[in-house]
Amino acid sequence: MTITQKSPSDRYRADPSVLTALRSPKLLTREVLAGLVVAMALIPEAISFSIIAGVDPRVGLFSSFVMAVSIAFLGGRPAMITAAKGAIALVIAPVAREYGMDYFIATVILGGVFQVLLGVLGVAKLMRFIPRSVMIGFVNALAILIFAAQLPHLIGVPWLVYPLVAVGLLIMVGMPRLTRAVPAPLVAIVLLTVVTVTLAINVPTVGDQGELPRSLPELFIPNVPLTWDTFAIIAPYAVAMALVGLLESLMTAKLVDEATDTHSHKTREAWGQGVANMLSGIFGGMGGCAMIGQTMINVKASGARTRISTFLAGVFLLILVVGLGDLVAIIPMAALVAVMIIVSVLTFDWHSIRFSTLKRMPMSETIVMVATVAVVVITHNLAIGVIAGVLVAMVAFARRVAHFVSVTRTVTGDSAHYAVAGELFFASSNDLTTQFEYADDPARVTIDMSAARIWDASTVAALDSITNKYERHGTVVELVGMNDASSAMHSRLAGNLGGE
């Protein structure tokens, strides 16, 4: 049987490609309409994120335009949407508040530089250490946050908002069963806008969220002194921005990989995000990262698969807010709320909370998933939730593996033989010293390590402690059977770790 290994170029080749979509009227129409829907959904969020960051709404809108267009060329995940993001806004908001706009933009640019460096250093490869249970928790927490973000638009509003949202939900659910030629979100937005304008229904609109810009973005070179003091002020915020942005973007890329059964180039996505943030700052934008909700609109609700939809989302965004601002302003928020509610339902992994699934899954896996969801919902920060989930998973794994170590004692005449089996590291080796009969063993002891593996200094220290205990009883100890890696570590560290 012959197995053909895919080359890196084949592994990351988009399907369908941009050229394929351009040659197919059906695919191209799907990409264009998907980009239009995403652009409409980006507007209110970009405005609200600008408010969180304490800057003018145009800063968030221009940032979304620049990042969406640039990542369409630079990114490693086709069809993923990158724009101004709330998590980034929260991290760098203190800079705008305490030091002003110039320092704020300098922070965005420096954050982009850090992301490029991290991308080149291969930080994207760390994604392999994120367990599936953390990923499921990330997805479910994301769905909850998307839904929770719609609640302010459903509380304390005119009662007519509720039937409009209900109609939008019906369209979103029923339209795909009739035809997928036109994205259901676009139909819902257009139809509800026509209804509210024709019947003069007074409900909150996009225009109520903030003023839309009426000019194109311009170059913005921050007027800050190029000194160590400036770097010391903005660097901590830039590092936090880089880490949060990369983590959310790479997690989103992984989510889209699974949704589309394709691969993305994570390293390219990492440095591409950095360049996009640098360009965003140069044009006076607030920076951002992958937009998970809008990405799900693009990929799941609208069926987009290529970079065309990402590029057009940015282009349409600029056209809508600058050229057609008056038209966009009358779109009822109820239409966008309906779209985002459906996105949250489609995003949530309902299979993960079925009783049959929970019954089969190990308790530790369920705890990791719940911990990830809980931390994200409490902090409203996906990056913190993922880090917490990984830490819980590490502890759970260490506890589980620690119980796989066994020590078997055999006494023959004037010698005792101990056979140690399992993976020895800090969690499993701490109790290793209690497994030996120091006072009762004969004058000679052999410890057979053939079925064991030494992973860290904690294990070497435990073996030193065992040897020292036997020596105090006048017993001769011999360690045998170590593999090459274990022997090399033991030879290098034994007797040099202090302790007993």
Side-chain angles (χ1 to χ4, degrees), residues 180-231:
R180 293 183 178 271
V182 180
L186 180 59
V187 175
I189 292 171
V190 172
L191 184 60
L192 293 183
T193 302
V194 171
V195 169
T196 55
V197 172
T198 303
L199 301 179
I201 298 175
N202 185 21
V203 293
T205 62
V206 171
D208 297 330
Q209 306 302 304
E211 183 181 358
L212 300 177
R214 298 187 179 277
S215 62
L216 296 173
E218 300 175 351
L219 286 175
F220 187 108
I221 305 301
N223 183 22
V224 296
L226 300 177
T227 63
W228 175 255
D229 290 337
T230 300
F231 181 81

Side-chain angles (χ1 to χ4, degrees), residues 171-446:
I171 294 172
M172 290 284 293
V173 173
M175 184 77 179
R177 299 180 181 181
L178 299 176
T179 178
R180 293 183 178 271
V182 180
L186 180 59
V187 175
I189 292 171
V190 172
L191 184 60
L192 293 183
T193 302
V194 171
V195 169
T196 55
V197 172
T198 303
L199 301 179
I201 298 175
N202 185 21
V203 293
T205 62
V206 171
D208 297 330
Q209 306 302 304
E211 183 181 358
L212 300 177
R214 298 187 179 277
S215 62
L216 296 173
E218 300 175 351
L219 286 175
F220 187 108
I221 305 301
N223 183 22
V224 296
L226 300 177
T227 63
W228 175 255
D229 290 337
T230 300
F231 181 81
I233 290 172
I234 66 176
Y237 299 100
V239 170
M241 170 189 165
L243 294 176
V244 170
L246 280 183
L247 183 55
E248 292 208 16
S249 297
L250 294 174
M251 289 290 284
T252 305
K254 187 174 180 180
L255 184 61
V256 178
D257 289 352
E258 294 183 0
T260 60
D261 292 325
T262 56
H263 295 284
S264 58
H265 200 308
K266 302 297 191 305
T267 298
R268 176 177 172 179
E269 185 62 42
W271 64 255
Q273 289 284 333
V275 175
N277 271 308
M278 292 167 63
L279 291 173
S280 172
I282 291 172
F283 281 95
M286 59 181 282
C289 61
M291 295 287 290
I292 308 173
Q294 279 68 17
T295 297
M296 290 298 101
I297 292 176
N298 197 43
V299 174
K300 282 195 170 182
S302 302
R305 290 293 183 271
T306 75
R307 299 175 186 273
I308 296 174
S309 59
T310 306
F311 173 77
L312 290 179
V315 173
F316 282 139
L317 175 63
L318 186 65
I319 294 173
L320 289 172
V321 299
V322 175
L324 302 172
D326 294 336
L327 181 61
V328 171
I330 65 175
I331 295 176
M333 285 301 299
L336 297 177
V337 168
V339 171
M340 297 309 292
I341 288 176
I342 291 297
V343 167
S344 69
V345 172
L346 293 176
T347 301
F348 197 92
D349 188 344
W350 297 100
H351 180 268
S352 67
I353 61 171
R354 289 178 184 170
F355 179 75
S356 58
T357 303
L358 295 175
K359 188 176 179 180
R360 286 193 301 267
M361 290 292 289
M363 180 59 69
S364 60
E365 299 283 332
T366 302
I367 291 174
V368 169
M369 181 186 72
V370 172
T372 304
V373 172
V375 174
V376 170
V377 172
I378 292 171
T379 64
H380 284 246
N381 191 312
L382 290 164
I384 293 176
V386 169
I387 292 172
V390 171
L391 291 176
V392 173
M394 289 170 60
V395 173
F397 176 76
R399 283 175 57 87
R400 194 160 59 243
V401 174
H403 297 299
F404 292 159
V405 174
S406 65
V407 178
T408 305
R409 176 176 180 258
T410 305
V411 179
T412 306
D414 61 349
S415 67
H417 181 274
Y418 286 88
V420 182
E423 304 299 320
L424 299 174
F425 63 110
F426 61 91
S428 59
S429 61
N430 282 336
D431 294 332
L432 190 63
T433 57
T434 65
Q435 306 297 312
F436 294 82
E437 304 292 339
Y438 303 102
D440 298 332
D441 278 337
R444 183 175 183 83
V445 171
T446 302

